[in-house]
Amino acid sequence: MFRGILLASTCVPALIAAPVSAQEGAGAEIAQAADRAAAPAEPQEGAAIVVTGSRAIRDGSQAPTPVTVISSDALTKAQPGLIAEGLNQLPAFRGSTRPTGGFTAATGPGTGSYLNLRNLGTQRTLVLVDGRRAAPSARDGSTDINLLPEPLIKRVDVVTGGASAAYGSDAVAGVVNFVLDTRFTGLKATLQSGISGRGDVPTYKASLTAGHSFAEGRGRIVASASYYDAGGLQSVAERSWGRRATGFLSNPAVPGQLIFRDDLRASTAAPGGLILSGPLAMQQFAPDGTLMPFSRGTLQSGLIQVGGDGAQVFSNLSAAIRTQSYFAHGEFDVTPTLTLFGEGSLALARNHYNQVQQFNLGGFNGFTIYSGNAFLDPSVQQVLTATNTPAFAMGRLNFDFGDPANATAKARTMDFKAGFRFTGPSDLLVEGYYGHSKNRTKIRTDNNVVLERLYAAADAVRDPASGQIVCRVSLTNPGLYPGCVPLNLFGQGAPSQEAIDYVEGTAAYRTDFTQDVADISVRARPFSTWAGEVSLAAGGQYRRIELDQVSDDIGPSVNDATGIRGFPAAYLNQPGGYLLTNVFPVSGGYHLWELFAEAAVPLARDLPFLHALDLNAAVRYTDYSTSGGVTTWKAGLVWEPVSGVRLRGTVSRDIRAPNVPELFAGTVQNTGSVIESGVTVPIIQVTRGNAQLKPERARTYTAGLVLTPAFAPGLTFSADYYSIDLDGVISSLTPQITLDQCLAGATALCANITRNDAGAITRIESPTLNLNRLKSAGIDFEMSYRPGGGMLGGATQFRVVASYLQKQRQDISNGTSTDRAGEVGLTANPRWTATGNLNWTRGAFDLFVQERFIAAGRYDVTRHEPVTIEDNTVKSVFYTDVTASYRVGENFRFYATINNLFDRDPPLAPNGTLVTFIPTNPQLYDVIGRQFTAGINLTF
């Protein structure tokens, strides 16, 4: 029954918190199944762990913390590609890192799948596998869900509230536990392929799983291998809504007003070079090196113009990803009460995505072309000579340098665990394990520009001795820039391949992240009160984390630019030798030990208006080598005044300690832009670690209602309020927030802003800080109904999960407070999100239909119509997904899925920097369009 119910379910928030009785339909069956899964005496489920938000409570129906249970089958029906994509369709997940996230940098987790509960940050969502900490697969310690052994995942348990006292640090937003079917026997395989409605983004998926028992069932072994490959969308222009080139700019007619327009282009750069100063200003170079007029379009503002001759730069929409996962688990019952186990996994990932076309924008990193440049057309040089013009400024978008700068991330994660499980009287369960994991990630940015080489090569002169065109520095500073090849920048197609090869290089860095964990826990029901059995749990853990990051020599080098004329002030004497992806070495680590205790105590049973009352309390002490000791705790009550009505609530104190990059990372530098006084200003943006950071501390409250009315068997409804108040937030402000808060009175932040002699911003540093506060609050709703008589002669099940976001407020120290609830442009915080589905089964046929809803919202909550923004609204959107499957005998199941059935385009909500825009918010909306997937499951 357990397997059948899970296969039929889609998502079950709070259902396992429903009272268990034979008359309560699917909700009760799942609750009973959860209880069986947690009980080690049950042979069919072994010691599989259900995360209930508690170590002491084994029956989810008694847990005061809201829990969501989702079967893997339900997730693959909703999204057959990546299991994380199915999870991200649930309203509780917002702002997760995804392959379709429009990611253009190469210095973070990248384009894997990193879950984000409540949009509080991936680092505040604790990921477990079978109740044990998952192996980190990024330098900040977060886990790429794509690398887990998906073929063996049978369900996912999600605790949507603070759980640090029960599970340890990082569980500020909640816990996501992937439960594996380590007792699978037999053989199963999946073959799948898909493609978008436009004939691109092909996907391929294959997996093989085998399990076997031996020694009369005392020994069990299971192994799986899986492969997934998805083509990417390397340009926004590959979609019609993207080719509109919609972005934002400041309205020249209304100072301070932000407007959205189509056909945005660069206003200070052209593909062949645009002259920006002197007597020839606003003329561009034709392919033959002569000049022709440059059209300014209909509107101009800073770096941007609408229409005209400016170049358009399109970024990527979705990364190309390829993953491989290999996993094996073996266990043996040494005695009827003692089981030993060991497991190992190897996961490989390759993600590839375009970043941006090589650029030199006037007013930021453009060229200074000096009179006498050997590549200038004689007619141009004649004007410079006649007007005694020593030099002119020029902007250029270097399409003729070849492919855009692009990043390739290769990751290898190995994880090994070994442990034991001992059962005894009074439901005694003692568990312990040791785990060692190591992730190595190599990231390289090809077709990157080396700054000193570029500007040295741009200043080309004739050698008086030989008459040959050479780099000027070869004459003035011989030997300082060996191999310098003069670069012709005048006209698209003018640069020689030899010169391009000289000025471009590959930025590269490698991270090695190691985690060691030793954990032991004990739980039992040693005695009873008149109201029932008391459950106790206790344990401890030791954990050690180390990060070693090395980079190439150019990335961290300082640009002294000796002998180079026209080197941009924004780069001069600053670290970061490349145009993009300047990463510095990092080496550091920390260790911690912690102890916890928990109790679940029934307080009352079968009294008037007090059908049941239960208390759950936990406390944990954690000692960090970097910041000392901290105590977390939780207290919760479950009150059932009458049968079928259950009230629950918790209050907890939760923590998250700073990770290694937040503590020890050196400078990480990239390009960006901010808006000041209505003008887009290009900048260098810099982040760095801070060894003085302290753990974040959160106070979490939840309060909920669960109804399972007797008059409607199979109906379950829950509503849960949550409030997470996080103090001392570890974060780096965005450059725009740093500027805005400085101007709003946070004077301490002004020291992080560097201006040139003219007062223009050139550089903004964002050190990692314990910022003041982040508060999130809202209400989660869930309704499940499984009518006893079915529908149209088949078994039917309905699910609706919805979430209302009341507050997503950030308070900056000595600055302003901003509530971003309802903001769907700059961030991913819609007020309302909902997912509803219907699953209908008749005989061998199964039909699944899902509807996803994202409410309308504001583009930027800090702006107001019409003074600071022309139109601040973003439209709502619905997506429809359909999966149909047919089972042939006991061994074959064929299925087909259409995601985004009606091919909805994403709503307009431009994101971007400099002159590169994505016309929508890829963290919220579908950028691929209609997708077709078909496959076959084989089971033997």
Side-chain angles (χ1 to χ4, degrees):
M1 177 182 290
F2 177 60
R3 182 174 183 271
I5 292 298
L6 285 180
L7 290 178
S9 67
T10 303
C11 60
V12 196
L15 284 186
I16 64 174
V20 179
S21 71
Q23 287 77 36
E24 289 171 354
E29 291 174 299
I30 293 173
Q32 292 167 346
D35 194 25
R36 290 197 299 272
E42 291 289 340
Q44 69 271 29
E45 290 303 327
I49 297 172
V50 170
V51 170
T52 63
S54 163
R55 293 289 189 101
I57 299 175
R58 304 188 192 186
D59 180 357
S61 70
Q62 305 301 318
T65 307
V67 181
T68 302
V69 178
I70 319 102
S71 74
S72 62
D73 184 74
L75 290 170
T76 55
K77 285 179 181 178
Q79 172 51 256
L82 298 169
I83 197 167
E85 290 296 284
L87 280 170
N88 280 317
Q89 293 177 358
L90 297 178
F93 293 96
R94 301 192 313 274
S96 298
T97 300
R98 305 161 57 197
T100 55
F103 199 84
T104 58
T107 54
T111 49
S113 296
Y114 297 85
L115 298 176
N116 189 350
L117 277 168
R118 310 292 190 202
N119 203 12
L120 294 177
T122 59
Q123 67 274 33
R124 298 181 186 95
T125 300
L126 178 59
V127 176
L128 306 176
V129 176
D130 279 339
R132 308 177 190 101
R133 281 185 176 261
S137 45
R139 69 185 201 129
D140 65 355
S142 53
T143 298
D144 185 355
I145 306 305
N146 296 344
L147 304 184
L148 299 183
E150 183 177 324
L152 279 171
I153 296 173
K154 62 181 179 181
R155 71 174 188 276
V156 184
D157 304 333
V158 183
V159 179
T160 54
S164 292
Y167 296 103
S169 63
D170 305 333
V172 172
V175 176
V176 184
N177 182 44
F178 292 83
V179 180
L180 305 183
D181 187 4
T182 56
R183 294 201 171 195
F184 172 80
T185 58
L187 184 70
K188 63 178 180 179
T190 295
L191 295 173
Q192 174 184 298
S193 181
I195 198 164
S196 80
R198 292 162 180 79
D200 52 18
V201 196
T203 63
Y204 307 94
K205 186 176 184 179
S207 68
L208 179 65
T209 304
H212 179 68
S213 62
F214 57 92
E216 298 180 340
R218 293 173 60 194
R220 296 163 295 277
I221 187 168
V222 64
S224 74
S226 62
Y227 174 85
Y228 181 79
D229 192 335
L233 286 178
Q234 299 299 340
S235 173
V236 173
E238 295 183 53
R239 291 293 178 265
S240 58
W241 52 266
R243 287 192 292 274
R244 292 169 51 188
T246 306
F248 55 80
L249 72 161
S250 298
N251 190 350
V254 183
Q257 184 192 61
L258 197 69
I259 59 176
F260 301 134
R261 293 293 184 270
D262 295 341
D263 197 21
L264 258 61
R265 299 170 179 266
S267 65
T268 64
L274 172 63
I275 299 177
L276 298 168
S277 65
L280 300 172
M282 302 319 297
Q283 296 191 66
Q284 60 181 320
F285 286 94
D288 62 358
T290 61
L291 291 178
M292 59 183 183
F294 178 82
S295 172
R296 299 296 309 275
T298 57
L299 289 175
Q300 307 89 36
S301 177
L303 303 175
I304 306 298
Q305 68 182 43
V306 178
D309 289 340
Q312 290 180 322
V313 182
F314 294 106
S315 181
N316 74 298
L317 268 182
S318 180
I321 66 172
R322 183 185 306 145
T323 63
Q324 301 173 62
S325 176
Y326 306 94
F327 176 86
H329 174 97
E331 58 184 52
F332 190 81
D333 299 332
V334 179
T335 71
T337 60
L338 177 63
T339 300
L340 303 180
F341 76 88
E343 64 183 34
S345 66
L346 169 65
L348 307 173
R350 181 188 185 275
N351 301 341
H352 178 81
Y353 48 100
N354 281 348
Q355 291 184 271
V356 67
Q357 190 67 47
Q358 301 87 338
F359 60 89
N360 293 92
L361 304 177
F364 173 49
N365 66 341
F367 295 106
T368 299
I369 305 300
Y370 292 90
S371 178
N373 188 293
F375 289 118
L376 281 172
D377 186 92
S379 62
V380 177
Q381 182 60 58
Q382 184 178 5
V383 174
L384 298 180
T385 302
T387 58
N388 198 28
T389 300
F392 60 82
M394 185 179 79
R396 196 177 196 276
L397 278 161
N398 305 309
F399 294 104
D400 48 13
F401 279 21
D403 291 337
N406 56 84
T408 302
K410 295 181 179 180
R412 182 188 67 200
T413 303
M414 296 183 294
D415 186 25
F416 303 96
K417 291 185 175 74
F420 71 93
R421 182 170 57 251
F422 175 79
T423 59
S426 300
D427 286 338
L428 175 67
L429 175 63
V430 183
E431 294 180 297
Y433 77 94
Y434 168 74
H436 173 79
S437 65
K438 183 174 183 178
N439 169 266
R440 168 167 286 189
T441 298
K442 298 179 180 179
I443 297 182
R444 54 182 290 159
T445 300
D446 293 306
N447 303 335
N448 205 350
V449 169
V450 182
L451 297 174
E452 289 187 337
R453 294 181 192 173
L454 175 68
Y455 293 100
D459 194 3
V461 298
R462 288 196 179 273
D463 183 350
S466 66
Q468 300 296 314
I469 299 177
V470 297
C471 301
R472 178 177 175 273
V473 293
S474 299
L475 302 177
T476 61
N477 300 82
L480 189 57
Y481 302 96
C484 184
V485 179
L487 180 65
N488 184 353
L489 296 168
F490 310 117
Q492 187 169 10
S496 69
Q497 187 60 51
E498 185 182 10
I500 294 171
D501 292 341
Y502 171 73
V503 303
E504 288 191 337
T506 296
Y509 72 97
R510 186 197 74 215
T511 64
D512 288 302
F513 192 103
T514 304
Q515 175 178 272
D516 290 279
V517 182
D519 182 279
I520 189 168
S521 63
V522 180
R523 64 182 182 183
R525 295 175 179 172
F527 60 89
S528 301
T529 68
W530 71 273
E533 293 181 315
V534 174
S535 296
L536 301 177
Q541 184 178 101
Y542 174 82
R543 192 162 79 251
R544 183 175 184 86
I545 293 97
E546 293 183 346
L547 172 67
D548 183 39
Q549 177 174 292
V550 295
S551 65
D552 60 72
D553 294 334
I554 294 176
S557 64
V558 175
N559 297 302
D560 58 37
T562 301
I564 301 177
R565 293 191 299 179
F567 196 84
Y571 298 131
L572 188 61
N573 295 320
Q574 299 292 341
Y578 290 109
L579 176 66
L580 305 168
T581 317
N582 293 294
V583 179
F584 284 49
V586 179
S587 182
Y590 65 91
H591 63 269
L592 62 94
W593 60 267
E594 50 191 346
L595 299 172
F596 81 93
E598 184 175 3
V601 182
L603 300 179
R605 286 291 185 275
D606 300 323
L607 297 176
F609 300 105
L610 197 58
H611 187 70
L613 181 64
D614 297 278
L615 169 69
N616 175 230
V619 63
R620 178 181 292 258
Y621 178 80
T622 306
D623 186 82
Y624 295 95
S625 61
T626 51
S627 56
V630 63
T631 301
T632 56
W633 52 265
K634 181 188 75 170
L637 280 175
V638 178
W639 173 35
E640 192 174 353
V642 295
S643 179
V645 178
R646 182 176 291 261
L647 304 174
R648 60 189 178 190
T650 64
V651 57
S652 66
R653 186 195 195 202
D654 304 289
I655 61 165
R656 183 185 77 87
N659 57 46
V660 178
E662 289 169 337
L663 288 167
F664 305 117
T667 299
V668 177
Q669 182 172 294
N670 223 320
T671 56
S673 64
V674 294
I675 296 176
E676 184 180 31
S677 302
V679 177
T680 300
V681 180
I683 62 162
I684 302 297
Q685 58 187 49
V686 181
T687 60
R688 50 184 164 81
N690 179 2
Q692 304 304 313
L693 293 172
K694 302 297 182 183
E696 302 172 339
R697 302 167 188 257
R699 183 64 59 87
T700 302
Y701 301 90
T702 67
L705 166 71
V706 182
L707 301 177
T708 53
F711 62 82
L715 174 65
T716 301
F717 172 82
S718 68
D720 287 279
Y721 169 81
Y722 68 90
S723 173
I724 303 173
D725 196 345
L726 185 61
D727 195 28
V729 175
I730 300 170
S731 178
S732 295
L733 297 177
T734 66
Q736 187 66 59
I737 292 177
T738 300
L739 175 61
D740 292 346
Q741 296 298 327
C742 167
L743 298 177
T747 55
L749 296 176
C750 298
N752 296 326
I753 301 174
T754 301
R755 298 178 183 270
N756 60 21
D757 293 338
I761 298 173
T762 59
R763 183 182 182 92
I764 295 182
E765 294 196 13
S766 300
T768 307
L769 303 169
N770 282 108
L771 300 176
N772 191 21
R773 177 170 291 179
L774 177 63
K775 184 169 184 177
S776 180
I779 306 174
D780 295 329
F781 301 92
E782 195 274 340
M783 186 197 70
S784 171
Y785 182 54
R786 186 178 184 181
M791 186 175 68
L792 299 177
T796 308
Q797 186 167 352
F798 300 91
R799 296 276 188 262
V800 178
V801 186
S803 183
Y804 171 73
L805 181 61
Q806 178 193 28
K807 186 178 298 183
Q808 192 84 0
R809 192 185 73 205
Q810 185 180 49
D811 300 332
I812 305 300
S813 300
N814 301 317
T816 60
S817 176
T818 303
D819 184 0
R820 297 196 180 272
E823 184 179 81
V824 295
L826 298 185
T827 60
N829 294 303
R831 288 280 188 188
W832 281 101
T833 52
T835 300
N837 53 64
L838 178 151
N839 202 103
W840 181 79
T841 303
R842 182 176 180 179
F845 181 74
D846 183 279
L847 177 66
F848 173 88
V849 181
Q850 176 175 269
E851 197 73 18
R852 293 176 279 142
F853 170 71
I854 302 171
R858 299 170 70 185
Y859 177 80
D860 181 352
V861 297
T862 67
R863 295 180 178 271
H864 304 282
E865 299 176 4
V867 178
T868 56
I869 192 168
E870 182 182 44
D871 183 358
N872 204 23
T873 60
V874 179
K875 295 179 180 179
S876 63
V877 64
F878 284 91
Y879 296 113
T880 304
D881 309 307
V882 178
T883 293
S885 66
Y886 189 80
R887 188 173 296 277
V888 180
E890 295 294 324
N891 304 116
F892 301 93
R893 174 178 172 264
F894 298 91
Y895 61 91
T897 299
I898 306 177
N899 291 111
N900 193 355
L901 176 66
F902 299 107
D903 201 21
R904 304 286 189 191
D905 288 341
L908 174 68
N911 283 261
T913 183
L914 297 176
V915 295
T916 305
F917 292 94
I918 296 175
T920 191
N921 184 346
Q923 285 192 321
L924 274 178
Y925 306 114
D926 174 25
V927 299
I928 302 298
R930 185 185 293 122
Q931 293 174 279
F932 300 93
T933 306
I936 180 173
N937 298 134
L938 301 92
T939 305
F940 300 96

